[in-house]
Every structure is written in structure tokens, then in C-alpha cells.
Amino acid sequence: MKLPPLLAAPFAVIPLPVINRATRLMLFRVLKQHPGLFDRLGEHLGKRYGFVPTDLPLTFVVEPARPMITVSRKPGTPHADAIVEGPFFLLLALLEGRGDADALFFSRDLAVTGDMESIMSLRNALDDCSVDLPRDLSVAAGPLRPLFKRAAGWIRDRALSGESVWN
Amino acid sequence: MELICPAGTPASFREAVDAGADVVYCGFRDETNARNFPGLNFTRKELEQSIAYAQSKGTQTYVALNTFMRAGDEIVWYEAVDDAVRLGADAVIVADFGLMAYVAEYHPRQRLHVSVQASASNVDAINFLVDAFGAKRVVLPRILTIPDIARIARQITCEIEVFVFGGLCVMAEGRCSLSSYATGKSPNMNGVCSPASHVRYRQDGNDLVSELGDYTINRFPDGEAAGYPTLCKGRFEVAGQYGYAFEDPVSLDVMDHIDGLREAGVCALKIEGRQRGKAYVAEVVSTLRRTLSADSRSRPALIHRLKLLSEGQQTTSGAYEKRWR
């Protein structure tokens, strides 16, 4: 499903440093749970990967070599070697290996431009890691971990119900 | 009949095993296999761990070493065979006659399967490979009708495996030079068809344009299902008309014909897709597993959903029910 405009709108006004801080913490948390996440990138480790959620006023650039994630506001195009564009929840589904990128490309839910070798490497690297955002990020919730995990899992299930994703 | 399932990563491998594969096939992370895509495939250590996982669940592992050796560098392929045997592969899938000879000479007890890439499509060719190298199974090229397969099965002494679902080539396996023509790299020699390094997508207004090397492959209007950037599935101008000169963007699906394939003498059904993600593997393997045990009337409903996973969101039975001779 697309992110409802009511949920997407606040991201247009929340200060970028706050969003950057939050997304970096999430990236580092996921990397802590999956230290081998970028192993399959090989020669493409140093590339910049852009993500453009079609239903958010933000763009993201991931640099695995540093590692770092940088958030910017639209309408700017991310300065990246390869760019993936699609609905926010589908991009998260791909991060978790819950969607088949080829099928989403065939259906035109996903658009990919730029360096195809590097984006294929990233796709395969992500696919081989069992990232589970509710589980991986809930570690930081301390005593609220079970609650956070359940709530995040529920949101994910709702968001992906009816989409061309599996697992 | 065995269900032979693809895996491009250890995660996909586990999904295939858990979803009910009888056999998982995979390859090393180098040019010895015909799916040599960036970030894909197995290190020796990963294969060892995957084979152990498969064995713990009663599943077999076949290792595809199905590209053609490059003169002067044969050692790369020989070592891949040695390692696959050492790690416990239940069979090696080979296309190059020289490599088959190596397997037969140095690993005579290793089960040898003839890859689809060997293009062994008639009785004489198959019996030669059985006699010369001890091949135990042939994976038939996707150029034969079911009656053709039945005729061949009656005259050969090895098992028959066929593709039933997934990507479909233009039926010249092991001999196609279209990718090589456009990029200098081919599945036969380098393990890559339309290598990602030569692929480019761009938006032109509302159209998605796919390019391979210096060639424009296709232009998809907004809303039209897209396909892979391969020359064989390209849309070109021929005699003043635009259309698919070789083949539409479409995938193979012959699950409607599994009774006919069984009666023809086929012992193993293969799913294409080592380059696909684990979500694809899990969905396709579990669906086909259910389909195999379902009665013929229930099968179409079971496999219908898989169209969404297919190239161009279309499927065909291809040459298995050839109507264009």
C-alpha cells in the first residue's frame, strides 16, 4: 500500500537533522544485527545507492563503504550511482527480502536507473540477509521490545497485505 | 517426479529446502556457472553449509558447472568440479564435453547430469554422452514437444529432466550468441546473458526505455508490464512494423502438462530462476509442490498467482505444445 498522505505529510516539516539522526540509528542497528549485510557487494561496496519513495517527500542515499545513510528533501534527485524508486513500504519489503525485485520491476511498481551491476549486487546482498525490521529495531526499545516488535510487525503486515510480496 | 529448485544465495537455498524441494541446484560465485551475476552464488564455504542443511532435511544438492571452458584456463572449471565433489554434491550439471570427460576420468563415481546448455536434443547426442562420459541424466532443451520427449525417452538409457517453470530462452540453449553480439559476453562463456554492466534503463516521458550496450531493446508505455533487457525479447522494427521479432516477454509454465510429461518418461521437473530472490523461490517452490500433489482440475487455480511473478506477467507452454511447425 502507499503511505497515506496524512502519515507522509509530517516528513515535509520535521527538521532534516532529526530524520537523519533517526535513520542512521536504524541503519547502525540493522548493521549490528547483520554485520555481513554488505559482504556480497564486492567491488560495488564503494557505490552510492539512492532510494526514492514515491509516497514520501524524502530521498535516501546509502553508502555501504562508510557506512552511512543521508536523507534529503525532494524535489532534488539523489546523487547516487544507482537509484531505486517505488512506494515506501515496497522498498522496505525489498530490504527484508519479502518482495521479488524482478516481479516488482515487471509490474512497474519499481523503477531502477543507473549502474545496474551495483544495484543487482545490493539486491542479492539484501536478499541473503534475513533482515526483519520489527525484530532488529526492537532491540533498541529496551523493556518495550515485545510491544514495539508486535506493533511494528502489525503495521508491516497491514501495509503489505494485497501487495505483490510474499513470505 | 523430482522437483528441482533454484538457489542463488544460501538464504534462497534454505527457502527452497523448507518449501519442499526434492533437489536444490546452485553454482559457485564465478564464471563456471551460467548465472554468474553480481552478488549471486556460493562460496565454497557457503556451499558446504548449504549441502549440510539440505542433507539434514533429506534434500539433495546439484551443482551447476554449466559454462564452456575457456582455452588455457581449464583449471578454473576442473577445480570447481573437484570442490563440488569434495563438498558432497549429489550431482554435477555440466555442458562442456571436455569437462564431462574430466568428471568421468577423475571422479568416475560422481553422478553426472547433462546441462540444458549442452543442447543434447536427440537420441544420438544423448546416447553418445551416456556412453562416452557415463551421464546419468539429461536436461532437455526447451525445443521439444511432449511427444518428441516420449519418443526420445524410449530410445535412451538415462533419466530425463525438463524445465517446467520460469525464464524462457529462444530455444537455442548453449548456442545463443545474441548477448555476445551486443555485449561481448554470453551465458555460454561468461555465465551472463545481457550482463548488468551493459544494461541501462531510462524514463523517456512516460515510457520506460531499456537499452543493452548500444541497442535499444524495448520501450514500455506507462502501465505495460516490463520484461528483461535481452535481445531475444526486444521489440524491433521489422518491415515497417514494431513488434517482438523473436519472442514476447514471457515465462515458461507447463504445470498443466505434468501428467503428459510423466507419461512421456520425464523423472524430474526443473524450476528456472537462480537469479531471482528468495521470495520468488519460496512462493514458486511451495506452489509447485502443492500443484504436483493436486488433481489436474485444481492445478490451474493453484498456479494462476504465479503469473504475477513472471516476465511480462505472461506465461507460455512454449515448444512443449508447439503449434507453429
Side-chain angles (χ1 to χ4, degrees):
Chain A
M1 81 175 205
K2 282 193 171 180
L3 201 63
L6 204 62
L7 289 179
F11 289 98
V13 292
I14 298 173
L16 269 184
V18 174
I19 301 174
N20 265 311
R21 173 90 178 135
T23 50
R24 281 169 194 168
L25 280 174
M26 288 186 220
L27 173 68
F28 298 148
R29 179 61 60 185
V30 169
L31 283 174
K32 198 171 177 186
Q33 301 291 320
H34 304 278
L37 182 65
F38 295 135
D39 285 357
R40 283 182 174 267
L41 291 183
E43 64 186 282
H44 303 289
L45 184 69
K47 300 284 175 59
R48 294 165 58 90
Y49 298 87
F51 298 91
V52 181
T54 49
D55 44 6
L56 263 186
L58 305 170
T59 66
F60 302 80
V61 172
V62 175
E63 297 169 84
R66 293 175 62 186
M68 183 53 67
I69 183 166
T70 306
V71 186
S72 304
R73 290 203 196 282
K74 288 179 181 173
T77 306
H79 177 61
D81 296 285
I83 296 174
V84 184
E85 196 170 341
F88 180 65
F89 282 121
L90 278 188
L91 294 179
L92 291 184
L94 286 176
L95 168 65
E96 292 191 325
R98 287 175 189 277
D100 181 66
D102 291 25
L104 294 170
F105 169 75
F106 297 148
S107 64
R108 310 285 296 275
D109 288 311
L110 208 66
V112 187
T113 51
D115 181 345
M116 287 300 131
E117 263 202 329
S118 60
I119 206 67
M120 277 186 74
S121 299
L122 181 65
R123 189 278 301 261
N124 291 326
L126 291 173
D127 207 64
D128 195 38
C129 276
S130 301
V131 173
D132 183 324
L133 290 174
R135 183 194 63 203
D136 296 342
L137 298 178
S138 67
V139 176
L144 296 177
R145 182 179 178 177
L147 188 67
F148 177 90
K149 191 178 165 190
R150 246 195 331 270
W154 182 82
I155 292 169
R156 179 180 63 195
D157 292 346
R158 287 289 303 264
L160 297 181
S161 65
E163 295 287 351
S164 298
V165 293
W166 293 269
N167 273 12
Chain B
M1 289 190 287
E2 281 181 2
L3 189 59
I4 317 285
C5 306
T9 62
S12 294
F13 191 106
R14 288 190 297 274
E15 291 283 357
V17 171
D18 295 346
D22 294 307
V23 178
V24 183
Y25 71 101
C26 56
F28 288 127
R29 201 183 296 181
D30 57 32
E31 60 196 316
T32 61
N33 89 81
R35 284 285 183 264
N36 181 26
F37 295 145
L40 207 65
N41 298 315
F42 293 67
T43 63
R44 267 53 173 176
K45 184 75 182 165
E46 287 170 343
L47 182 64
E48 183 179 21
Q49 291 166 343
S50 298
I51 288 176
Y53 183 76
Q55 287 174 340
S56 74
K57 305 273 183 171
T59 305
Q60 294 196 332
T61 306
Y62 296 169
V63 177
L65 303 157
N66 57 344
T67 49
F68 292 86
M69 296 191 287
R70 191 173 51 255
D73 288 327
E74 296 89 345
I75 188 70
V76 175
W77 282 260
Y78 294 162
E79 285 180 352
V81 166
D82 295 342
D83 289 340
V85 174
R86 176 177 56 81
L87 296 172
D90 293 287
V92 289
I93 309 169
V94 177
D96 187 311
F97 292 2
L99 197 57
M100 290 185 203
Y102 180 84
V103 174
E105 183 172 356
Y106 291 95
H107 302 286
R109 296 173 64 188
Q110 176 63 46
R111 191 173 168 87
L112 171 67
H113 291 184
V114 177
S115 168
V116 70
Q117 285 286 96
S119 229
S121 55
N122 60 58
V123 171
D124 289 341
I126 296 165
N127 281 339
F128 167 73
L129 297 173
V130 172
D131 294 341
F133 309 121
K136 295 289 188 291
R137 180 181 295 184
V138 60
V139 185
L140 288 179
R142 288 159 277 194
I143 60 170
L144 301 165
T145 63
I146 294 174
D148 288 338
I149 294 169
R151 273 191 294 275
I152 288 173
R154 286 193 292 271
Q155 299 175 72
I156 63 173
T157 54
C158 71
E159 300 165 354
I160 290 178
E161 178 177 316
V162 296
F163 280 93
V164 291
F165 192 88
L168 182 65
C169 291
V170 283
M171 307 168 201
E173 282 124 332
R175 296 172 184 174
C176 179
S177 296
L178 287 172
S179 174
S180 184
Y181 174 75
T183 71
K185 290 187 173 180
S186 73
N188 315 323
M189 300 301 292
N190 313 98
V192 281
C193 178
S194 296
S197 53
H198 292 67
V199 172
R200 187 165 166 254
Y201 292 105
R202 61 181 173 85
Q203 282 294 139
D204 185 5
N206 285 329
D207 292 355
L208 172 69
V209 178
S210 60
E211 297 169 338
L212 179 68
D214 294 333
Y215 299 88
T216 298
I217 300 290
N218 215 330
R219 176 182 287 271
F220 301 99
D222 196 22
E224 182 179 311
Y228 285 122
T230 54
L231 276 176
C232 59
K233 309 279 178 73
R235 192 153 34 183
F236 304 108
E237 183 185 348
V238 179
Q241 287 193 320
Y242 282 98
Y244 290 103
F246 299 100
E247 188 159 40
D248 289 12
V250 64
S251 286
L252 180 70
D253 175 7
V254 283
M255 289 303 288
D256 274 352
H257 300 278
I258 51 180
D259 292 332
L261 291 168
R262 185 186 286 114
E263 287 160 17
V266 170
C267 77
L269 307 176
K270 189 167 206 163
I271 302 169
E272 186 276 345
R274 283 190 283 149
Q275 77 285 11
R276 302 292 291 264
K278 64 185 176 192
Y280 171 91
V281 169
E283 180 69 14
V284 173
V285 174
S286 59
T287 301
L288 296 197
R289 170 53 67 200
R290 286 198 301 275
T291 306
L292 271 175
S293 52
D295 62 69
S296 57
R297 279 172 304 171
S298 313
R299 287 176 196 150
L302 283 170
I303 57 178
H304 179 73
R305 176 175 156 84
L306 298 184
K307 268 192 173 38
L308 292 175
L309 289 164
S310 300
E311 183 176 10
Q313 300 192 316
Q314 303 176 80
T315 55
T316 174
S317 49
Y320 289 97
E321 52 172 356
K322 198 185 295 180
R323 298 167 187 161
W324 61 85
R325 200 192 296 272

